[in-house]
Amino acid sequence: MVSAAMVQYSAPATLSLAPGDKSSAEESPARHGGKADTEATANPSTDPQRIGKKLSVLVGQPFLKGAFSYGREFMFHFGQPMPYSHPSLAGESKGTWILGTRASGWQLLAPFEGKLIEIGWPSELLSGATLAKWTRREEKDESVIEAAVNRLLAGACVMYVQLLPLVFGFGLTITFSNGASLLLCPNPEPDDDPEPLADWELFFTAQHRFLRCGPGRKCPYLRADIVEDEEVDDEEPS
């Protein structure tokens, strides 16, 4: 079973990683074997502005539900409920947009309750002073984690979406109307698997498209209704 840290702290904590943190988000990727930003913008799948435009469809959308999926990947559903087409899922619904965490660690911060849920390595991005305020409890029951996420985000809408251009890939933050925030962070260690997982994915359910981010600083916009990776015209309406 997946293990998550259910964290309680006595005062609002400050994340040491912010969109303007030059030490991580703005360090030159060329020093780490990546392409310079001037070269990346020539390709829509590596241009942060074009990727951000795709992500902006989430702004204003309600949180629908959160649940674990295959491979213990957590899925965040947004928008309006849509029925599944598969007979085995009859009577169940999915979101208009679905954010899958894939190979990323993630962290849900709810300052109004002084609680944090994290899976993976995002806590490594927090300062030691902040970590000292927390009381940690490991939780292995997926149903407990699901219930906590759904309770903390119940009735919330997406207010802001921020793409984080990190040295080792694209991170993502989502800020909700109730003050909660979600951080997705790719694994800073390289994946040596010949077919590595994406860092995270956003599915556009009605359009049968998805944005597959990573590994690395690339987010191609692909068709979800075919097996082959066929990148879609970036100007196609989302």
Side-chain angles (χ1 to χ4, degrees):
M1 301 292 285
V2 69
S3 178
M6 307 285 283
V7 183
Q8 183 86 29
Y9 56 90
S10 58
T14 301
L15 299 179
S16 63
L17 175 67
D21 185 352
K22 294 183 180 180
S23 64
S24 57
E26 297 182 6
E27 186 175 349
S28 172
R31 294 175 52 194
H32 297 261
K35 295 182 179 179
D37 287 341
T38 53
E39 298 175 5
T41 53
N43 184 344
S45 69
T46 60
D47 182 352
Q49 289 189 342
R50 294 193 180 189
I51 299 167
K53 183 179 178 181
K54 291 293 183 189
L55 294 171
S56 68
V57 298
L58 291 178
V59 176
Q61 297 301 324
F63 169 78
L64 186 62
K65 67 175 183 178
F68 281 101
S69 183
Y70 302 107
R72 298 168 186 162
E73 173 188 5
F74 203 87
M75 312 292 282
F76 293 87
H77 295 247
F78 302 93
Q80 300 304 312
M82 300 178 62
Y84 282 101
S85 57
H86 198 281
S88 65
L89 296 173
E92 298 187 30
S93 60
K94 57 187 174 182
T96 317
W97 293 274
I98 306 172
L99 177 64
T101 56
R102 299 300 281 167
S104 287
W106 60 272
Q107 183 183 84
L108 178 64
L109 176 66
F112 50 87
E113 285 197 13
K115 290 185 178 178
L116 178 91
I117 300 172
E118 62 176 12
I119 294 180
W121 38 85
S123 63
E124 297 176 6
L125 303 175
L126 302 179
S127 67
T130 300
L131 287 172
K133 299 178 181 179
W134 299 348
T135 301
R136 300 176 64 86
R137 176 172 65 86
E138 296 298 322
E139 178 58 63
K140 297 183 180 297
D141 189 335
E142 293 180 2
S143 64
V144 172
I145 300 169
E146 286 185 2
V149 170
N150 285 291
R151 182 178 62 82
L152 293 173
L153 293 180
C157 293
V158 176
M159 296 293 289
Y160 306 103
V161 179
Q162 176 73 49
L163 187 72
L164 300 177
L166 305 170
V167 171
F168 44 84
F170 285 120
L172 180 69
T173 60
I174 297 177
T175 303
F176 294 90
S177 57
N178 64 354
S181 60
L182 174 67
L183 166 67
L184 268 64
C185 182
N187 191 340
E189 298 298 325
D191 188 348
D192 296 328
D193 192 298
E195 296 184 0
L197 292 174
D199 291 331
W200 49 272
E201 295 172 332
L202 178 63
F203 291 88
F204 298 65
T205 308
Q207 290 79 20
H208 303 288
R209 304 286 190 264
F210 71 108
L211 195 66
R212 184 180 67 194
C213 284
R217 289 177 60 168
K218 58 182 179 180
C219 294
Y221 185 54
L222 305 169
R223 291 182 58 178
D225 55 351
I226 58 174
V227 176
E228 295 81 6
D229 289 344
E230 179 180 324
E231 191 161 357
V232 180
D233 184 354
D234 188 64
E235 299 304 317
E236 181 178 326
S238 299

